[in-house]
Amino acid sequence: MKRVGLFCGGYSSEFEISLKSAQTIMDNFPSGYEVVPIHVFEDGWFVPQGAEKLPFSIERMSYQSAGIESKIDVGLIYIHGNPGENGKIQALLDMKGIPYVNSNALASELSFDKWYCNQFLSRFGIPVAKSLFLKSRTEFTESEILDQLGLPCFVKPSDSGSSFGISKVSKAGDLSAALDKAFEEGDTIVIEAFLKGTEVTCGIYRSPSGLIPLPLTEIVTDNDFFDYEAKYLGQSQEITPARIPDSIRDLVWERSKEIYSLLQLRSIARIDFMVVDGIPHVIEVNTTPGFSTASLVPQMLGVYGKSIRDFWTEIFEVELKSM
């Protein structure tokens, strides 16, 4: 029986969300595998076993219990942010020769950075918001930012998988604080022009029969945007299937397949769009979307009529065969 190391936790502000996602996956794991949770902290990696935390050896990809060493055979990385969603653990597993059920290191790193991902996709004619990229506070003056992008605009950490640090700026006087907030979460930031439309998101994965786009979810929030509180504290309506014409749904599905293929993704991804005048604009690509029982992808699977266990069974069947 293959032993699957489920890496969760991580170094970002969404540590606890990652643990919830991992628990849902463990509760619905495919039969025929032994799953071992590996909690990733900055000061060490551990396998929880009852009240104990058994040290996990990054060098040997193993842990010891009662004097017996147990190595992992396969990896499943479910960390929302550094060092999982950005491809670092994938690269480590590549070096160790251990297969994993995720997008590879390059695809993960590219899709993780909002600026680079959207710039890459725009070169293939996929619509994205007009934006600016900042490596420091002094790269553009606030007046230059407002002249180029107007108000309202969004300020986001570019190199962070976290929902923290994102602001919608509606007044010029709020821009400075938004820049500071974003730089607290990431080393680089992206500022995007406002897109007025309907926000939808599409889960997509590889099945034995090919790429499967799941029913779209429409995001409606009383907040300024789909921020951390809207995502995780119930301050939004998540309507599945989305209330959009079938023709636009089909266009979002086709665009999701195109993006999945261009980025050479694997396993599950969730791609967020803003539909403006019937045209889907990409907001961002998530290669480790939330997977708690209340998260969007499990909701999509429910509407699609597929159990979480059957879903992960298909993922393992397809991705391990392709290695």
Side-chain angles (χ1 to χ4, degrees), residues 25-43:
I25 294 169
M26 287 170 48
D27 290 344
N28 297 275
F29 214 75
S31 60
Y33 300 92
E34 176 191 355
V35 60
V36 177
I38 301 165
H39 290 190
V40 175
F41 296 85
E42 290 192 76
D43 60 352

Side-chain angles (χ1 to χ4, degrees), residues 71-287:
K71 293 186 176 182
I72 64 168
D73 303 302
V74 179
L76 171 57
I77 302 113
Y78 230 87
I79 293 172
H80 306 308
N82 187 30
E85 197 169 3
N86 58 1
K88 291 181 179 179
I89 293 179
Q90 289 86 327
L92 175 64
L93 294 180
D94 284 336
M95 293 176 65
K96 299 294 185 183
I98 295 175
Y100 49 87
V101 183
N102 294 84
S103 294
N104 66 27
L106 176 59
S108 298
E109 186 172 14
L110 176 58
S111 59
F112 180 73
D113 191 294
K114 299 175 182 69
W115 164 263
Y116 284 109
C117 184
N118 284 4
Q119 293 306 300
F120 172 82
L121 294 174
S122 71
R123 296 302 187 268
F124 294 91
I126 295 172
V128 300
K130 185 179 179 182
S131 59
L132 291 173
F133 179 67
L134 277 71
K135 299 187 292 294
S136 73
R137 283 287 265 106
T138 59
E139 197 157 354
F140 294 94
T141 67
E142 292 178 22
S143 61
E144 286 174 331
I145 293 169
L146 297 176
D147 286 345
Q148 292 194 49
L149 301 180
L151 288 172
C153 63
F154 284 97
V155 179
K156 308 175 181 180
S158 183
D159 57 348
S160 170
S162 172
S163 297
F164 292 93
I166 304 176
S167 301
K168 180 180 179 183
V169 177
S170 300
K171 298 184 296 184
D174 295 338
L175 180 58
S176 180
L179 293 170
D180 289 339
K181 180 180 178 181
F183 272 120
E184 287 175 5
E185 286 291 331
D187 294 327
T188 59
I189 67 173
V190 59
I191 309 172
E192 295 178 342
F194 178 66
L195 295 173
K196 183 175 177 59
T198 302
E199 184 171 355
V200 298
T201 184
C202 179
I204 181 169
Y205 73 102
R206 294 202 301 180
S207 79
S209 58
L211 287 182
I212 302 292
L214 294 171
L216 304 184
T217 296
E218 178 184 351
I219 307 298
V220 182
T221 175
D222 294 331
N223 297 4
D224 276 340
F225 61 97
F226 195 46
D227 57 6
Y228 181 88
E229 287 75 19
K231 279 185 182 179
Y232 300 123
L233 302 182
Q235 297 177 16
S236 68
Q237 294 181 62
E238 298 158 0
I239 302 164
T240 311
R243 301 167 301 179
I244 58 175
D246 289 352
S247 59
I248 295 177
R249 176 205 63 196
D250 293 347
L251 183 57
V252 172
W253 278 347
E254 287 308 310
R255 188 144 286 162
S256 297
K257 289 180 181 179
E258 182 183 5
I259 290 168
Y260 191 103
S261 297
L262 283 170
L263 292 170
Q264 299 182 57
L265 303 181
R266 293 187 351 216
S267 186
I268 181 64
R270 201 193 75 230
I271 306 173
D272 302 338
F273 296 90
M274 188 67 74
V275 180
V276 182
D277 297 326
I279 300 173
H281 291 63
V282 176
I283 302 174
E284 64 180 273
V285 177
N286 305 274
T287 56

Side-chain angles (χ1 to χ4, degrees), residues 9-20:
Y11 309 157
S12 84
S13 303
E14 293 193 80
F15 180 95
E16 294 297 333
I17 301 300
S18 171
L19 296 190
K20 289 181 179 179

